[in-house]
Amino acid sequence: MSVNTVKETAEELLKLLTVEAEVAVTEDEGGVYQVQIETSDQGLLIGYHGETIAALQLVLNLIVSKKLGEWKRVAVNVGDYREQRAEKLQAMANSIVERALAVKQPMAFPALTAGERRVVHLYLQERKDITSASEGEGVNRRLIVRPVIAS
């Protein structure tokens, strides 16, 4: 029933935005509703650096949680934006890790959203030659990688 509520809500929101789209919703094993949107207006829904898709996801989270009477996480993807962004983040992570290891100094990532920091943390978690941590508050929060110095 909740999957239908999320799908209907996403469709209503897109209709209000006058965006024609196909919406598919699944619930993953973590209880997160995965909303997949296919449209010819991808750029409009993704926005500059993913700002619009992030706003759409936030609004959908709020509306769905209010309708269901409890907080439920909703993740929105338009086309293959999230997959492409994850690949770019992994390439960035590889580059920054190589630099950190070469100079044997901690290196900071540029500003990333909380979700993007999570993608990078998960990508780097298996590595034994570096550690990653998020430091700072609010807009100044940065992901830092540190080389592990063998003693």
Side-chain angles (χ1 to χ4, degrees):
M1 160 121 167
S2 297
V3 168
N4 290 335
T5 301
V6 176
K7 185 177 192 305
E8 290 168 6
T9 304
E11 289 171 343
E12 288 172 27
L13 189 55
L14 291 168
K15 186 176 179 184
L16 289 170
L17 295 170
T18 64
V19 173
E20 288 187 31
E22 291 294 318
V23 178
V25 178
T26 57
E27 186 176 4
D28 69 16
E29 58 278 352
V32 177
Y33 293 105
Q34 300 291 334
V35 178
Q36 181 64 43
I37 301 172
E38 298 297 335
T39 180
S40 58
D41 293 328
Q42 285 188 7
L44 177 70
L45 289 182
I46 294 168
Y48 182 71
H49 290 294
E51 291 172 350
T52 307
I53 194 174
L56 183 64
Q57 181 171 291
L58 175 64
V59 169
L60 199 52
N61 265 291
L62 294 171
I63 295 170
V64 166
S65 294
K66 185 138 179 107
K67 281 185 176 184
L68 297 177
E70 63 179 316
W71 179 254
K72 286 291 190 174
R73 189 154 172 262
V74 177
V76 176
N77 191 19
V78 176
D80 61 353
Y81 173 75
R82 299 278 184 205
E83 294 82 1
Q84 286 183 0
R85 184 65 181 148
E87 288 175 14
K88 288 179 184 173
L89 289 169
Q90 291 170 357
M92 180 191 308
N94 289 336
S95 175
I96 291 174
V97 165
E98 285 179 33
R99 271 190 285 159
L101 291 171
V103 298
K104 296 180 174 65
Q105 293 289 320
M107 298 291 291
F109 280 69
L112 300 174
T113 66
E116 291 171 333
R117 287 193 304 271
R118 184 174 187 277
V119 167
V120 175
H121 281 305
L122 291 172
Y123 177 67
L124 296 175
Q125 75 182 1
E126 300 300 316
R127 294 199 58 150
K128 304 296 182 217
D129 54 348
I130 57 105
T131 61
S132 68
S134 293
E135 298 177 1
E137 298 296 325
V139 295
N140 295 320
R141 193 154 179 86
R142 295 288 185 271
L143 191 148
I144 311 290
V145 291
R146 290 184 172 76
V148 172
I149 311 295
S151 47

